[in-house]
Amino acid sequence: MAEHTVLVCTGTGCSSSHAPQIYEAFEKAIDERGLAVTVKKTGCHGFCQRGPIVVVEPEDILYCEVTVDDVPDIVTMHLAQGTPVERLFYRETDDSEPIPHYHDIPFYGNQHRIILRNCGQIDPEDIDDYLEADGYRGLEKALGMTPDEVIEEIKASGLRGRGGAGFPTGRKWRFCRDANGEPKYMICNADEGDPGAFMDRSILEADPHSVIEGLAIAAYAIGARHGYIYVREEYPLAIHRFTIARDQARERGYLGDDILGSGFSFDIEIKKGAGAFVCGEETALMASIEGKRGMPRPRPPYPAQQGVHGKPTTINNVKTLATVPAIMARGAEWYASIGSERSTGTAVFALTGKTANSGLVEVPMGTPLRSIIYDIGGGVPYGKELKAVQTGGPSGGCIPAHLADLTFDYESLVQDVYVPANYVDLPIDYETLARVGSIMGSGGMVVMDDDTCMVDVAHFFLSFTQYESCGKCPTCRIGTKKMMDLLAKIKAGRGEMSDINLLEELAITVKNGSLCGLGQTAPNPVLTTLRYFREEYVAHIRDRRCPARVCKELIWYEIDPEACIGCGKCASNCSADAITGEAKQPHVIDASKCIKCGMCFKVCPTGAVKKQTNLPGGGA
Amino acid sequence: MTDGGSVTRSVLSDFEKKREHVIAILQRLQQEKRYLAEDDIEDIARHLDMSANEVYGVATFYTGFKFHPPGEHHIAVCMGTACHVKASDELLDVVKNELGITPGETSSDGMFSLDRVACLGCCALSPVVTIDGEVHGRMTPSKLLDLLRGLEENHG
């Protein structure tokens, strides 16, 4: 029997479901039986929803939702006797056929992993694992070339910044290389603040060396000796693993003086963010590195001319940098052959919200949205209908279900042009998303079903951007607040039809009058929901009705006396004492006391508690 | 150096007297002392040759810094997009109703404090609540209520 390796995912998701204890249980059980098995902690496999995940090599068996109690079975049956434990295999639904092999699972089988190539495959705290996976080969190759040749290689690959805006990476490096001024700085932007996006965190937790290698290659190309990584404080595990990786890279001579005897020297300083979303914007990020309030400034001068400490600087996203070593090792031609014509390579999405499978998904640019949601995500569960997909986080927009055949690339998401009637064949890339009024952004993809109120979603994002606005530009500081107030008014059933026009007017003003990306894109969620879901706004205003039954002021709870079995669960869970009734008799909600927390609705075993809203036309 | 100065002194001695370290110093000090008091701001200002106003200006820009003592148990409800569409505001209501505090507050007995956070990056486990740093995924109002009541009972 081949020697086994057990890979236990210890990313943030699986760790919260006791993955570290599972790892320990494996070590103990294997030790006790004296088996020749290697147990490794890996980073995120991207399938957080079915975690904790355990993979056994060489058979490529994936176990989901493993608990400490399952460990003895896996050790005895699989590792000792060679019979995998079927009850822990992945199943699409409870009664579908189990799928034993990792790569046969549709969630993985339909992906194309370049950026996430090592995630879940290697121990992020062991540089030898990374080296075995061809790590630092890209750097070795780059150091054998001139910096200009490296830049040309990246240009030829067509790589564009994966932070959201999609600027060509090779050109960015060229600007900085050609800029006057010393020293130059290389920065990795790991200030992943978009709610709903967690790919940068997962990469740093699962494959930190790929980012270090990317930083070193970029630094060599632009001529920088000093690098920074600016990473969110909210990601302690990512910081921990990156620090370990950096120290190991120093020990092995991949960082520090005279790297691999090339004469090139480079090192990385870790800067922790302190909870300001706007610091993801490059000029704000640089201000924060300098120990200032993280407020953006006008560009030009661009960072390539005057960046951190006033010196030429390049800032790249985590995903961009993690891609660079792969391009250097395998060649620009290989990379350029993947993806769509204008957007080469792959994109990573954090697929979350109302899908059967959620997690990190990497697909070639140009993959239709529908394929991401249905083939990989397994569609919308509980028989609900897909209503919209939100991409690009607070800067992005909501794409309605009828555009789901859209393919993703940079341009599709950005130009503010109406989509032609024949949406179905559009691919997802930067260009497509632009056309429908959303953006690729950092790759958050939140799936929404009929239970999602689009006015509420717009309000949610506005409340986020309004809170995170640094306050420098009045249009952003005051405009987002005014827009949020209008949305709150509509949500509360106090809106007027003229508010819709006012919202649109404000949105355009905020877009045009703000300095940085935060303000310029903050109105996108409002503009796209108004474009595609205007009737929902009208329902809230004219009929005082929330069709998705989300907005508290427009809904009420009732108990259907026919369906109520009088179990009393609702009454005992009601924190407002608003529910009364005799045992085994129908219960009643006192509307004057009800705080609409929804607890009764959630705990009712028979579905007798109903959420109500006005009927179309306005009547109850 | 003001009262409680030994912790501050040892933190400050780890950093060069350069303005660019101000955020890192604030972070380390908060880690040691759980929150930043007025004296701490003044000590940092003196160390970096900045005005206390400048240091306070930087500190208040970032939501990561706390200027009041947090509760013995700290609860953070994630309000990210994925959590929001799975009704995380209902979870916030549960905490508010049960403990009688709103985000940013500490209960009068010093036992609990509550925050809302933008995104913890555990979206696949949404909705998510952290209690004393431990991530609790796929929360429901009743599961959360059980957790809170468990903590309350432990304190009699």
Side-chain angles (χ1 to χ4, degrees):
Chain A
M1 196 185 304
E3 195 176 300
H4 284 106
T5 304
V6 176
L7 305 166
V8 182
C9 177
T10 54
T12 293
C14 290
S15 290
S16 75
S17 329
H18 312 295
Q21 289 86 329
I22 293 169
Y23 172 80
E24 279 165 27
F26 267 114
E27 283 222 304
K28 198 167 156 246
I30 286 163
D31 197 44
E32 276 170 8
R33 293 179 141 263
L35 296 173
V37 173
T38 315
V39 190
K40 280 186 189 173
K41 280 187 205 172
T42 71
C44 187
H45 290 258
F47 203 12
C48 317
Q49 195 200 9
R50 295 296 184 107
I53 302 273
V54 171
V55 174
V56 180
E57 303 284 11
E59 298 99 318
D60 188 42
I61 299 284
L62 182 136
Y63 293 122
C64 334
E65 295 173 24
V66 177
T67 66
V68 172
D69 298 335
D70 295 326
V71 172
D73 276 0
I74 298 176
V75 172
T76 314
M77 291 167 63
H78 188 165
L79 302 178
Q81 296 163 14
T83 318
V85 186
E86 196 181 307
R87 68 182 170 84
L88 298 170
F89 289 168
Y90 168 81
R91 288 162 201 266
E92 201 120 282
T93 59
D94 285 346
D95 29 77
S96 52
E97 281 295 300
I99 304 175
H101 296 289
Y102 191 172
H103 292 93
D104 293 338
I105 295 172
F107 181 79
Y108 289 110
N110 291 308
Q111 296 195 39
H112 186 129
R113 293 194 156 197
I114 296 173
I115 302 169
L116 305 175
R117 59 193 179 279
N118 293 324
C119 295
Q121 311 293 319
I122 62 168
D123 178 350
E125 297 185 13
D126 184 354
I127 192 170
D128 287 320
D129 255 30
Y130 183 66
L131 291 170
E132 252 174 62
D134 286 341
Y136 291 108
R137 272 226 352 245
L139 177 62
E140 280 168 24
K141 208 168 146 197
L143 293 177
M145 298 159 72
T146 67
D148 287 324
E149 284 168 351
V150 174
I151 293 175
E152 287 313 311
E153 187 76 7
I154 295 298
K155 268 191 178 173
S157 74
L159 176 65
R160 298 171 63 169
R162 291 311 195 248
F167 192 82
T169 306
R171 270 173 64 200
K172 205 180 216 184
W173 291 7
R174 168 57 59 200
F175 289 145
C176 194
R177 168 126 209 116
D178 292 345
N180 291 318
E182 287 291 334
K184 289 175 180 167
Y185 292 95
M186 181 63 219
I187 300 177
C188 172
N189 183 349
D191 192 46
E192 181 177 56
D194 274 17
F198 55 95
M199 54 285 279
D200 293 355
R201 192 209 72 206
S202 293
I203 294 165
L204 291 172
E205 285 178 7
D207 192 18
H209 284 288
S210 68
V211 181
I212 292 173
E213 188 180 355
L215 269 168
I217 294 169
Y220 176 70
I222 65 166
R225 286 178 57 102
H226 194 90
Y228 291 105
I229 179 166
Y230 188 91
V231 53
R232 288 180 87 200
E233 193 189 22
E234 291 90 333
Y235 288 177
L237 187 60
I239 295 169
H240 174 72
R241 292 204 174 138
F242 189 88
T243 310
I244 292 174
R246 181 193 59 177
D247 295 347
Q248 289 177 347
R250 281 175 179 166
E251 277 167 29
R252 300 292 182 93
Y254 295 108
L255 284 178
D257 289 332
D258 190 19
I259 293 172
L260 303 175
S262 65
F264 164 65
S265 303
F266 175 67
D267 210 341
I268 303 165
E269 191 178 328
I270 299 167
K271 287 277 185 182
K272 284 192 282 177
F277 173 71
V278 72
C279 287
E281 196 278 340
E282 57 184 19
T283 60
L285 184 149
M286 293 188 301
S288 185
I289 286 181
E290 292 169 3
K292 297 175 185 154
R293 289 165 71 90
M295 288 162 107
R297 60 157 174 81
R299 292 172 301 183
Y302 287 95
Q305 303 153 320
Q306 252 179 60
V308 74
H309 310 305
K311 301 294 180 188
T313 302
T314 297
I315 303 184
N316 284 138
N317 170 267
V318 171
K319 296 175 285 293
T320 315
L321 291 169
T323 310
V324 165
I327 295 175
M328 290 314 297
R330 302 182 65 173
E333 212 176 301
W334 159 76
Y335 190 76
S337 70
I338 302 158
S340 67
E341 203 178 311
R342 289 166 307 184
S343 302
T344 59
T346 54
V348 182
F349 294 100
L351 182 67
T352 57
K354 310 285 183 73
T355 48
N357 301 324
S358 51
L360 290 187
V361 168
E362 184 171 355
V363 289
M365 286 280 187
T367 302
L369 195 49
R370 184 178 296 282
S371 148
I372 299 173
I373 298 165
Y374 289 92
D375 299 342
I376 297 172
V380 182
Y382 311 116
K384 300 265 182 183
E385 287 290 312
L386 172 70
K387 181 171 181 178
V389 183
Q390 206 277 345
T391 68
S395 321
C398 294
I399 304 166
H402 68 268
L403 294 182
D405 292 301
L406 214 63
T407 57
F408 260 40
D409 65 21
Y410 287 85
E411 278 67 22
S412 328
L413 287 178
V414 200
Q415 301 144 16
D416 210 27
V417 183
Y418 282 86
V419 211
N422 184 15
Y423 313 118
V424 268
D425 298 319
L426 286 181
I428 291 284
D429 52 24
Y430 290 84
E431 283 71 19
T432 320
L433 288 179
R435 280 211 303 277
V436 296
S438 184
I439 62 162
M440 186 103 113
S442 58
M445 187 180 275
V446 184
V447 177
M448 299 169 174
D449 66 9
D450 291 345
D451 292 339
T452 313
C453 168
M454 302 317 280
V455 182
D456 177 67
V457 166
H459 178 263
F460 164 74
F461 281 118
L462 251 293
S463 64
F464 178 83
T465 37
Q466 183 268 330
Y467 182 78
E468 295 292 348
S469 170
C470 79
K472 187 168 187 163
C473 310
T475 44
C476 177
R477 181 181 69 237
I478 305 168
T480 53
K481 174 86 172 78
K482 286 290 163 201
M483 287 170 76
M484 188 182 81
D485 290 348
L486 280 173
L487 290 164
K489 191 177 148 196
I490 296 171
K491 263 170 66 69
R494 290 183 283 106
E496 295 153 53
M497 291 305 277
S498 59
D499 290 340
I500 293 183
N501 291 339
L502 193 53
L503 262 179
E504 265 163 338
E505 225 174 276
L506 272 167
I508 303 298
T509 309
V510 173
K511 241 182 182 323
N512 293 338
S514 303
L515 195 57
C516 84
L518 192 153
Q520 287 163 8
T521 59
N524 283 349
V526 177
L527 287 172
T528 51
T529 49
L530 274 173
R531 186 196 290 181
Y532 299 116
F533 300 96
R534 187 175 284 261
E535 73 288 351
E536 262 185 66
Y537 282 83
V538 174
H540 280 72
I541 295 170
R542 201 187 50 207
D543 302 341
R544 309 284 182 243
R545 161 183 159 79
C546 176
R549 294 173 168 81
V550 169
C551 298
K552 270 190 188 174
E553 280 90 342
L554 301 180
I555 60 161
W556 63 91
Y557 290 89
E558 271 175 11
I559 296 173
D560 176 357
E562 301 287 308
C564 180
I565 53 168
C567 68
K569 265 198 175 161
C570 53
S572 62
N573 277 288
C574 178
S575 58
D577 289 327
I579 305 177
T580 49
E582 298 288 319
K584 306 213 167 145
Q585 295 298 317
H587 282 47
V588 181
I589 300 175
D590 179 349
S592 67
K593 285 186 183 167
C594 177
I595 56 167
K596 298 177 187 175
C597 67
M599 187 72 108
C600 51
F601 182 78
K602 291 243 162 66
V603 297
C604 178
T606 63
V609 180
K610 309 275 186 214
K611 259 191 224 180
Q612 307 288 13
T613 186
N614 279 338
L615 297 170
Chain B
M1 194 68 57
T2 43
D3 195 36
S6 62
V7 175
T8 314
R9 227 180 350 258
S10 98
V11 167
L12 288 176
S13 67
D14 285 350
F15 291 91
E16 266 181 277
K17 293 192 175 203
K18 275 184 171 171
R19 186 200 162 110
E20 64 170 283
H21 297 311
V22 64
I23 294 170
I25 294 173
L26 288 163
Q27 285 169 332
R28 266 284 297 285
L29 211 51
Q30 176 161 299
Q31 202 184 331
E32 302 285 339
K33 304 175 91 167
R34 302 179 74 222
Y35 75 104
L36 299 163
E38 220 176 292
D39 292 344
D40 300 323
I41 302 289
E42 281 170 17
D43 291 339
I44 295 170
R46 215 168 296 126
H47 182 74
L48 296 177
D49 202 17
M50 292 165 70
S51 73
N53 202 16
E54 278 179 291
V55 176
Y56 192 62
V58 171
T60 50
F61 183 83
Y62 298 94
T63 52
F65 297 116
K66 308 272 169 254
F67 305 96
H68 304 285
E72 201 168 305
H73 297 294
H74 186 68
I75 297 150
V77 181
C78 183
M79 290 300 189
T81 320
C83 292
H84 178 80
V85 300
K86 296 207 176 154
S88 56
D89 52 337
E90 287 175 5
L91 299 176
L92 196 63
D93 285 346
V94 166
V95 187
K96 286 200 245 177
N97 294 336
E98 179 67 17
L99 305 176
I101 47 174
T102 57
E105 285 184 350
T106 302
S107 59
S108 53
D109 58 2
M111 209 54 80
F112 293 99
S113 52
L114 171 65
D115 258 328
R116 38 182 303 162
V117 288
C119 183
L120 292 163
C122 313
C123 313
L125 303 175
S126 61
V128 173
V129 172
T130 68
I131 298 177
D132 299 329
E134 197 185 329
V135 177
H136 297 270
R138 296 190 194 97
M139 264 295 130
T140 63
S142 48
K143 276 204 297 199
L144 181 57
L145 203 55
D146 287 346
L147 281 171
L148 294 178
R149 290 190 176 153
L151 289 175
E152 285 174 306
E153 270 163 31
N154 279 346
H155 289 284

